[in-house]
Amino acid sequence: MDSSSCFIIMWLVVTTITIIYPSSCLGMKRTYIVQMNHHLKPSSFVTHDDWYSHSLKSIESTTTTENAIILYSYTNAYHGFSASLDLNQVKALRQLDSVIGVYEDTLYHLHTTRTPQFLGIDNELGLWSQQLNAASHDVIIGVLDTGVWPESKSFDDSAMPAVPSRWRGECEQGEDFKATACNKKLIGARKFSKGFRLAAAGVISKERDSPRDQDGHGTHTSTTAAGVQVGNASLFGFASGTARGMAVHARVATYKVCWKTGCFGSDILAGMDRAIADGVDVLSMSLGGGSSPYYRDTIAIGAFKAMEKGVFVSCSAGNSGPSKSSLANVAPWIMTVGAGTLDRDFPAYAILGNGKRVTGVSLYSGKGMGDEPVQLVYFPSNNNRSSSGNLCMPGSLEQEAVRGKVVFCDRGVNPRVEKGQVVKDAGGIGMILGNTAESGEELVADSHTLPAVAVGRKFGDEIREYLKTEGDNAKAVLSFGGTVLGVKPSPVVAAFSSRGPNMVTPQILKPDVIGPGVNILAGWSQGIGPTGLDTDTRKTQFNIMSGTSMSCPHISGLAALLKAAHPEWSPSAIKSSLMTTAYTLDNTKSLLRDAAAGGQVSTPWAHGAGHVDLHKAISPGLIYDITPQEYIAFVCSLGYDIKQVQAVVNRANVTCTKSLGDPGRLNYPSFSVVFGGKSRVVRYTRQLTNVGPPGSVYDVTAEAPKGVQISIKPKRLVFKNVGDKMRYTVTFVSQKGGDNGDAFGSITWKNAENQVRSPVAFGWSRLI
């Protein structure tokens, strides 16, 4: 079996995240990340790099294969290196006392105008406005993604002062990317591809070795976080208006770590390592994998070191919803962001032959299909033509059955825009994309290359029934309604947004918050069409996309604003302010709804603490702060052996003399209570820090679900001075017969000015 075959097998099992190879590939070299006990470096070596190289050479006598190749040496986010190794070399390295661990490279994937108004950023922020505008110039957001399109108008630097002198980054020259491409707004651009190129050698067509974004995702996320104001922005007329990021005065530095096959852990770690060294204040990463123990999670390990150095890390929760326990990036030192809708929509309509007018959404901008109904066809899975015709998979539609007709396709499995292209390639003139139970009533608009309307599950089922009843007499015509504002209810939790509970540490509630992540307009690459399909030759400066990839940079930008307002705040303080001030009522003053549940009430396992609110987060009153030492005590409470603890916290000399005992004792802004076995009582103590005026007094209220009792002592906290810290203890009791499934409540400390709210999720060990 050649290297190409081995790589193809890796691609087929990508949903498991860890790369798997057949036995015939075991002699091949693969990428591994080696974590070293950097305190054991002999004084005879001038640098750690020299020591790493010597360590590899020292095992040559025990192996018979060619020399190992070092890809990256890590200093800031990690202590160690990544290298191309065979299994014999891996075994020999693991026997060295200086090696903490050797881990196979992991493949991660991307989690893929109106939002400033929706979040209230365009409104007057009172005394904060002038301070934020000036202070934001010194805040740097590092975006790890697919690179950047530097010519985007969103990176205009005409209003920016000189780059902060503390900045240590650079603009790397590469193919079709000049070192002068950066400016005072986009202050850095680097690329990391060694892990990708080693894995993809001889298999994937050569990608340009450059920070330039040929995918669009990286430009979209970076301009969402901090793009400047650009007038007359739209996607072919949709969402027309002034586009802007969250922190328009902040700086942007991009680190290209994602390529056509995904994002390799070795490249991500190198990007994080460099970003920390360059001097970023915020790290925004709209990518992730599955749930792994923290000592095997590259992002979690790199983020721990970033947190220690004062860098706020925001990551997307994943797009694997509405499945339960589908979250990525769940470490408590990471801000885990889910997705919600805006109050903006792009209505489109399908008028059936029976006169029924079905409403959906679309970003189609072409000539349309006319006013005359044409035959509507559907190929359910029991149809003899194809077992995947209902999904409109490539090669599943026969031209003689589709030509000149509108095709109904079920949502799922393959990309939505690909379904439209499959219909078009088969000669269809239109498509209706119908949701199934998995996506519920969630509507995501796409810029299809043919007339297409996406409809929710209810309307989808009605159309399926119509097709079943009418057979060959079924007809439809499609029409399009442009852009509509003021949609109610909103926000609604997106069906695709990944859900809790947290399977790595059930005692930590995730996601943390939700932000705008559906139909988001932001900057786009000129190297690819808006659908991302190779056949799409259209060019646009802005694109509308959906995913937790889109919600993550919103929170990254808000964190930059909070950093500007409160430069002394730690990453956990910024996180706390965003969480405890988040709202759980939509614009109809009703509880947040869940698109996947047909509009039923959402839960903290879907929305975390709620939807972010910058106005309130700037002055949260109280914060739950967490020191790096407390995070170490948290890791020590997870049942890991000492080497695994050292791997997570990136300290070889760490000991677990201090442990929380129960991970839920971490001073986190939310609660996840797990009742287990015969234990029906869980007791936690939290500490609040006053960041409001001196003399602040707070009283507590609690909402408990049926079958659970919550008691809190003391019930009043009096803070004499700014910076004062006070503790309270909360006792949760599961009453007999109360363990009947998921349950939720809240704890809120409030006075006339502030409400500091913490969601509480309850579970019983046999259910999680």
Side-chain angles (χ1 to χ4, degrees):
M1 179 179 288
D2 61 16
S3 61
S4 174
S5 301
C6 293
F7 183 80
I8 290 171
I9 289 177
M10 177 200 75
W11 176 249
L12 290 175
V13 298
V14 76
T15 54
T16 67
I17 301 304
T18 301
I19 304 171
I20 299 173
Y21 297 84
S23 57
S24 53
C25 297
L26 295 181
M28 287 181 55
K29 285 182 174 291
R30 288 159 287 185
T31 302
Y32 290 84
I33 298 174
V34 182
Q35 191 168 29
M36 301 288 287
N37 185 337
H38 66 291
H39 293 291
L40 295 183
K41 180 182 76 68
S43 58
S44 57
F45 296 105
V46 178
T47 67
H48 281 83
D49 290 351
D50 295 334
W51 179 40
Y52 299 156
S53 296
H54 176 80
S55 297
L56 283 179
K57 290 181 180 179
S58 70
I59 64 171
E60 288 181 11
S61 60
T62 64
T63 60
T64 58
T65 53
E66 61 188 70
N67 294 344
I69 302 171
I70 291 183
L71 301 182
Y72 298 107
S73 178
Y74 307 116
T75 304
N76 301 286
Y78 201 76
H79 294 303
F81 59 93
S82 56
S84 174
L85 307 169
D86 64 24
L87 291 182
N88 290 327
Q89 292 166 327
V90 169
K91 183 178 180 180
L93 276 172
R94 284 174 173 159
Q95 293 174 348
L96 297 180
D97 292 337
S98 57
V99 173
I100 295 176
V102 183
Y103 309 108
E104 193 170 346
D105 204 356
T106 302
L107 184 62
Y108 296 85
H109 287 284
L110 298 167
H111 288 152
T112 248
T113 69
R114 178 65 178 167
T115 49
Q117 296 95 324
F118 188 69
L119 290 170
I121 297 176
D122 276 358
N123 297 335
E124 183 62 42
L125 287 172
L127 297 175
W128 288 107
S129 293
Q130 187 173 358
Q131 179 180 342
L132 285 178
N133 290 343
S136 295
H137 290 140
D138 291 327
V139 180
I140 303 167
I141 303 175
V143 181
L144 272 67
D145 213 294
T146 65
V148 66
W149 195 266
E151 294 82 8
S152 171
K153 293 180 180 179
S154 298
F155 297 121
D156 176 67
D157 71 341
S158 57
M160 300 293 290
V163 176
S165 59
R166 66 184 178 85
W167 174 242
R168 298 179 293 276
E170 66 178 69
C171 202
E172 288 186 0
Q173 182 152 339
E175 296 179 52
D176 72 0
F177 197 97
K178 296 181 179 179
T180 56
C182 300
N183 57 23
K184 292 181 292 183
K185 176 65 176 179
L186 177 65
I187 63 174
R190 298 180 185 268
K191 50 106 173 72
F192 301 88
S193 62
K194 294 177 181 178
F196 155 72
R197 294 192 180 281
L198 182 67
V203 181
I204 305 298
S205 58
K206 187 176 184 294
E207 287 198 56
R208 294 176 181 176
D209 194 23
S210 161
R212 184 169 291 280
D213 181 13
Q214 297 293 342
D215 178 273
H217 193 278
T219 302
H220 199 281
T221 56
S222 56
T223 56
T224 296
V228 301
Q229 292 181 324
V230 180
N232 299 316
S234 73
L235 170 62
F236 303 135
F238 288 101
S240 180
T242 298
R244 55 158 289 179
M246 299 298 98
V248 294
H249 300 285
R251 318 286 181 156
V252 177
T254 65
Y255 300 82
K256 185 173 181 177
V257 298
C258 296
W259 306 82
K260 286 184 178 179
T261 54
C263 324
F264 284 86
S266 54
D267 295 330
I268 294 171
L269 196 56
M272 296 177 75
D273 196 72
R274 189 66 255 176
I276 294 170
D278 287 345
V280 303
D281 301 294
V282 176
L283 268 178
S284 185
M285 297 189 289
S286 293
L287 49 87
S291 294
S292 301
Y294 299 133
Y295 59 85
R296 295 296 307 271
D297 187 337
T298 301
I299 294 175
I301 294 172
F304 192 97
K305 185 58 67 174
M307 172 274 301
E308 278 194 307
K309 294 180 179 292
V311 179
F312 180 91
V313 181
S314 173
C315 292
S316 47
N319 298 335
S320 299
S323 299
K324 197 173 180 179
S325 303
S326 53
L327 293 163
N329 302 316
V330 297
W333 47 89
I334 291 173
M335 187 75 163
T336 310
V337 186
T341 64
L342 292 176
D343 62 344
R344 179 179 63 196
D345 212 347
F346 308 101
Y349 312 96
I351 302 174
L352 307 180
N354 60 5
K356 174 77 174 181
R357 186 176 190 243
V358 174
T359 301
V361 297
S362 181
L363 293 173
Y364 173 72
S365 59
K367 295 180 179 179
M369 58 173 288
D371 299 326
E372 292 297 320
V374 301
Q375 186 177 353
L376 176 65
V377 294
Y378 177 48
F379 306 105
S381 57
N382 60 355
N383 190 289
N384 291 330
R385 288 190 180 91
S386 171
S387 61
S388 59
N390 65 308
L391 294 167
C392 300
M393 300 281 285
S396 67
L397 301 180
E398 299 176 3
Q399 289 194 4
E400 60 269 23
V402 171
R403 188 179 294 111
K405 301 171 184 176
V406 173
V407 181
F408 184 92
C409 304
D410 289 334
R411 182 175 170 181
V413 184
N414 60 324
R416 300 180 302 273
V417 292
E418 182 182 74
K419 296 175 189 287
Q421 190 63 45
V422 169
V423 172
K424 184 177 181 180
D425 291 343
I429 63 171
M431 177 183 72
I432 301 175
L433 182 61
N435 282 5
T436 59
E438 185 176 40
S439 46
E441 297 305 316
E442 171 189 78
L443 293 177
V444 180
D446 297 295
S447 182
H448 290 281
T449 56
L450 86 169
V453 177
V455 300
R457 181 190 180 186
K458 178 182 176 182
F459 284 148
D461 287 344
E462 288 184 13
I463 298 174
R464 292 180 186 96
E465 185 61 30
Y466 168 70
L467 282 157
K468 183 178 179 180
T469 302
E470 296 295 325
D472 292 342
N473 294 321
K475 293 185 177 182
V477 62
L478 310 181
S479 61
F480 306 90
T483 303
V484 174
L485 301 179
V487 174
K488 295 182 179 181
S490 62
V492 174
V493 179
F496 60 73
S497 190
S498 290
R499 316 300 170 96
N502 180 346
M503 293 303 290
V504 182
T505 41
Q507 299 88 351
I508 300 295
L509 177 59
K510 292 284 184 170
D512 292 311
V513 293
I514 61 170
V518 178
N519 298 331
I520 305 301
L521 179 76
W524 193 245
S525 168
Q526 297 292 287
I528 195 166
T531 63
L533 299 173
D534 292 338
T535 54
D536 187 357
T537 59
R538 297 173 297 172
K539 301 300 178 186
T540 178
Q541 294 183 4
F542 295 89
N543 197 9
I544 294 173
M545 296 184 70
S546 298
T548 55
S549 278
M550 284 61 254
S551 53
C552 170
H554 280 92
I555 274 60
S556 304
L558 297 186
L561 293 175
L562 291 172
K563 182 73 173 178
H566 303 285
E568 75 283 2
W569 278 9
S570 67
S572 60
I574 294 174
K575 176 195 280 192
S576 175
S577 70
L578 288 166
M579 290 176 65
T580 62
T581 60
Y583 61 84
T584 56
L585 298 180
D586 61 28
N587 58 2
T588 70
K589 304 302 180 184
S590 300
L591 292 172
L592 292 177
R593 303 284 170 171
D594 188 341
Q600 296 299 309
V601 173
S602 175
T603 76
W605 278 346
H607 63 244
H611 194 285
V612 289
D613 185 333
L614 176 65
H615 281 264
K616 292 182 178 179
I618 287 180
S619 302
L622 304 173
I623 57 171
Y624 292 86
D625 210 356
I626 308 174
T627 66
Q629 290 71 31
E630 289 173 301
Y631 278 124
I632 293 174
F634 163 83
V635 177
C636 286
S637 71
L638 299 180
Y640 296 166
D641 64 38
I642 191 61
K643 273 203 167 185
Q644 291 168 340
V645 171
Q646 293 170 346
V648 177
V649 305
N650 216 3
R651 294 186 189 178
N653 61 345
V654 71
T655 62
C656 282
T657 54
K658 292 185 178 181
S659 171
L660 298 181
D662 178 348
R665 291 175 181 161
L666 184 68
N667 197 43
Y668 212 65
S670 59
F671 294 84
S672 180
V673 179
V674 182
F675 298 111
K678 297 180 180 179
S679 175
R680 291 188 173 272
V681 178
V682 174
R683 184 174 290 109
Y684 291 139
T685 296
R686 293 286 198 265
Q687 178 176 268
L688 284 163
T689 302
N690 181 34
V691 293
S696 294
V697 179
Y698 287 84
D699 294 305
V700 71
T701 60
E703 295 181 358
K706 184 179 180 181
V708 176
Q709 182 181 18
I710 301 177
S711 59
I712 302 169
K713 293 183 180 180
K715 295 184 179 298
R716 170 170 286 193
L717 297 177
V718 180
F719 297 89
K720 293 183 179 180
N721 303 300
V722 178
D724 279 357
K725 302 177 185 294
M726 296 198 71
R727 295 179 179 271
Y728 70 92
T729 299
V730 54
T731 302
F732 305 98
V733 179
S734 173
Q735 298 171 332
K736 193 170 184 180
D739 51 349
N740 294 321
D742 307 340
F744 306 93
S746 65
I747 295 171
T748 306
W749 291 92
K750 56 186 177 182
N751 58 21
E753 292 77 32
N754 296 99
Q755 292 194 23
V756 184
R757 182 181 182 276
S758 296
V760 186
F762 296 95
W764 285 260
S765 58
R766 68 172 186 272
L767 299 177
I768 294 181

